């Protein structure tokens, strides 16, 4: 069989976070005024939370961060060869940074981190009670990525040039717009595929200018229904219909005219919408089998990318995306069994 994949075909850049998850008690949530099921950015009052979590409870470490999760899922779907996925991001020179490096290696992705001393490695505390999880993210080092200190270095840029599919989550728009633009322009000029995720309503609202600077280079745009609604509102699309939003997002200006933009919008258990006006039902799952929906979006993208790097049909990309998401929501964190069962 001919080798379809070569190492470093898929490139991702984003916020590498070490997920620290533990089953905690209600007292712990109350102490740090956390809701049982929530996602927040860490404030001063949460500083001690991370240390206490590690000292008091039995914790599990998982390499996290949206983009890195998706690259890992794509690599898991692909299996062989290793290192099809490359990942760039910023970490600290510390224990958590070492764990992130080790976890990336175990997932067989080729991670090249920019390591600095100013800030500690970014973390996300996942405080689990029953089937709820309260997420507290502290970006720290992830926020310190520098184009001139890492992306521009010759040995790193060579890895960017090796890739043919690029994926960056919208979260990184808050960190290094110039890095994203450099990669996006390279993809566009070389007729390669550049993919972006809307990631969160706040990105569409408060980082709209950055988002709109990158959008003309975007070949594949991902988002879920709440992000799509926020995007449509900010862009004054004057519609709440997901299919219409997908069409209008597809029609926004695009630099590389060789490829028509693809817009893929998910809506949880409801069908996935892809412009132009195609819908795909998701795999059915018994609600009692759902352990944790948190990594579902990252897994969807990872599954999609694993087929996209092989130039498979979009139908096959969505099928793989639905499969990966369906596996991930049955497990805690963005974790997966040893091998996929997908063809």
């Amino acid at each position: 069989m001919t080798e379809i994949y070569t190492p470093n075909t898929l490139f991702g850049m984003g916020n590498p976070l070490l997920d620290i998850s533990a089953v905690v008690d209600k007292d712990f949530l109350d102490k740090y005024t956390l809701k049982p099921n929530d996602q927040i950015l860490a404030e001063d009052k949460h500083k001690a939370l991370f240390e206490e979590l590690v000292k008091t409870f039995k914790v599990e470490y998982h390499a996290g961060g949206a983009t890195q999760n998706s690259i890992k899922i794509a690599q898991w779907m692909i299996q062989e060869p290793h290192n099809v996925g490359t990942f760039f991001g910023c970490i600290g020179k510390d224990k958590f940074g070492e764990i992130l490096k080790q976890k990336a290696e175990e997932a067989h992705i080729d991670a090249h981190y920019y390591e600095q001393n100013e800030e500690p490695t970014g973390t996300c505390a996942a405080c689990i009670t029953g089937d709820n999880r309260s997420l507290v993210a502290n970006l720290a080092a992830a926020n310190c990525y520098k184009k001139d200190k890492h992306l521009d270095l010759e040995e790193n840029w060579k890895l960017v040039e090796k890739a043919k599919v690029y994926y960056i989550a919208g979260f990184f728009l808050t960190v290094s717009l110039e890095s994203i633009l450099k990669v996006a322009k390279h993809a566009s000029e070389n007729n390669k595929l550049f993919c972006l995720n809307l990631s969160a309503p706040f990105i569409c609202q408060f980082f709209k200018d950055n988002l709109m600077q990158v959008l003309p280079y975007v070949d594949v745009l991902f988002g879920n229904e709440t992000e799509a609604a926020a995007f449509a509102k900010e862009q004054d699309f004057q519609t709440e219909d997901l299919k219409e939003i997908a069409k209008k997002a597809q029609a926004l200006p695009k630099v590389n005219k060789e490829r028509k933009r693809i817009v893929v919008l998910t809506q949880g258990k409801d069908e996935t919408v892809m412009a132009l006006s195609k819908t795909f039902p998701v795999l059915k799952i018994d609600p009692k089998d759902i352990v944790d929906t948190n990594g579902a979006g990252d897994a969807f993208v990872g599954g999609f990318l694993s087929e996209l790097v092989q130039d498979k049909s979009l139908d096959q990309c969505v099928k793989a995306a639905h499969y990966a998401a369906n596996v991930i929501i049955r497990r805690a964190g963005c974790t997966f069994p040893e091998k996929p069962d997908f063809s």
Side-chain angles (χ1 to χ4, degrees):
M1 191 180 143
T2 55
E3 183 90 315
I4 301 173
Y5 299 106
T6 50
N8 309 108
T9 308
L10 174 62
F11 176 84
M13 182 166 61
N15 299 335
L17 302 176
L18 186 72
D19 289 344
I20 308 169
S21 61
V23 175
V24 301
D25 49 33
K26 189 176 177 303
D27 291 346
F28 185 81
L29 295 184
D30 293 345
K31 180 175 177 180
Y32 293 103
T33 58
L34 301 175
K35 294 177 189 157
N37 212 13
D38 205 5
Q39 270 176 293
I40 61 166
L41 284 176
E43 297 168 41
D44 281 346
K45 65 182 178 186
H46 302 114
K47 284 275 195 307
L49 177 150
F50 293 87
E51 286 299 317
E52 188 178 334
L53 194 66
V54 174
K55 281 201 183 94
T56 318
F57 302 97
K58 187 178 184 300
V59 299
E60 279 190 18
Y61 294 102
H62 299 289
T67 304
Q68 188 166 242
N69 280 344
S70 294
I71 299 297
K72 280 168 63 182
I73 296 276
Q75 181 65 55
W76 170 71
M77 291 284 286
I78 289 163
Q79 291 283 308
E80 298 282 338
H82 293 165
N83 296 338
V84 170
T86 313
F87 178 77
F88 286 5
C90 183
I91 59 174
K93 293 181 179 173
D94 50 27
K95 187 182 88 181
F96 285 169
E98 288 304 314
I99 295 173
L100 265 189
K101 288 197 269 191
Q102 183 198 329
K103 293 285 182 187
E105 206 172 302
E106 285 168 12
H108 308 304
I109 62 169
D110 193 14
H112 293 258
Y113 298 114
Y114 167 48
E115 299 179 45
Q116 48 72 61
N117 287 319
E118 310 286 297
E119 288 279 344
T121 296
T123 47
C124 180
C127 311
I128 301 163
T129 51
D131 17 349
N132 288 323
R133 60 196 290 116
S134 196
L135 301 169
V136 186
N138 179 25
L139 292 185
N143 214 15
C144 301
Y145 190 83
K146 299 278 185 288
K147 172 178 167 288
D148 57 335
K149 297 268 172 65
H150 193 263
L151 186 68
D152 291 344
L153 302 184
E154 192 185 349
E155 66 272 24
N156 291 335
W157 187 250
K158 275 191 174 139
L159 290 169
V160 176
E161 291 178 327
K162 269 181 90 172
K164 58 178 193 181
V165 176
Y166 302 84
Y167 173 66
I168 298 175
F171 291 123
F172 201 60
L173 287 163
T174 74
V175 175
S176 183
L177 175 64
E178 62 275 22
S179 296
I180 299 175
L181 284 170
K182 184 174 183 183
V183 171
K185 287 173 179 171
H186 167 79
S188 184
E189 284 159 11
N190 294 278
N191 196 25
K192 298 174 180 180
L193 279 162
F194 182 79
C195 315
L196 185 80
N197 203 317
L198 294 173
S199 290
F202 83 85
I203 299 289
C204 305
Q205 292 157 340
F206 307 118
F207 292 88
K208 178 164 73 173
D209 292 351
N210 289 9
L211 175 61
M212 297 318 286
Q213 281 188 59
V214 176
L215 205 70
Y217 302 100
V218 176
D219 296 299
V220 185
L221 182 68
F222 295 101
N224 66 21
E225 72 277 40
T226 46
E227 293 149 12
F231 182 71
K233 195 172 171 213
E234 290 299 324
Q235 298 302 317
D236 203 22
F237 283 171
Q238 299 183 340
T239 179
E240 288 175 10
D241 179 281
L242 213 59
K243 290 180 188 165
E244 282 304 307
I245 293 171
K247 277 186 200 165
K248 290 190 177 217
Q250 185 183 43
L252 288 167
K254 192 166 185 301
V255 174
N256 178 8
K257 306 279 193 270
E258 300 281 309
R259 297 178 184 274
K260 207 169 168 114
R261 180 178 297 123
I262 299 156
V263 180
V264 187
L265 303 175
T266 60
Q267 38 184 352
K269 64 182 189 324
D270 296 322
E271 62 191 15
T272 294
V273 173
M274 184 159 70
L276 287 170
S277 65
K278 203 165 179 183
T279 60
F280 299 85
V282 303
L283 296 167
K284 293 273 183 283
I285 184 168
D286 187 327
K288 70 174 191 303
D289 291 335
I290 298 176
V291 174
D292 173 12
T293 56
N294 181 45
D298 298 340
F300 178 93
V301 173
F304 194 100
L305 295 172
S306 71
E307 297 291 310
L308 196 63
V309 295
Q310 296 182 80
D311 299 322
K312 289 287 179 71
S313 72
L314 292 172
D315 292 30
Q316 185 68 4
C317 292
V318 174
K319 199 177 149 195
H322 284 161
Y323 168 78
N326 186 274
V327 170
I328 273 25
I329 59 178
R330 298 168 189 270
R331 305 166 69 91
C334 197
T335 61
F336 34 82
E338 193 188 339
K339 287 205 157 79
D341 175 23
F342 177 80
S343 54

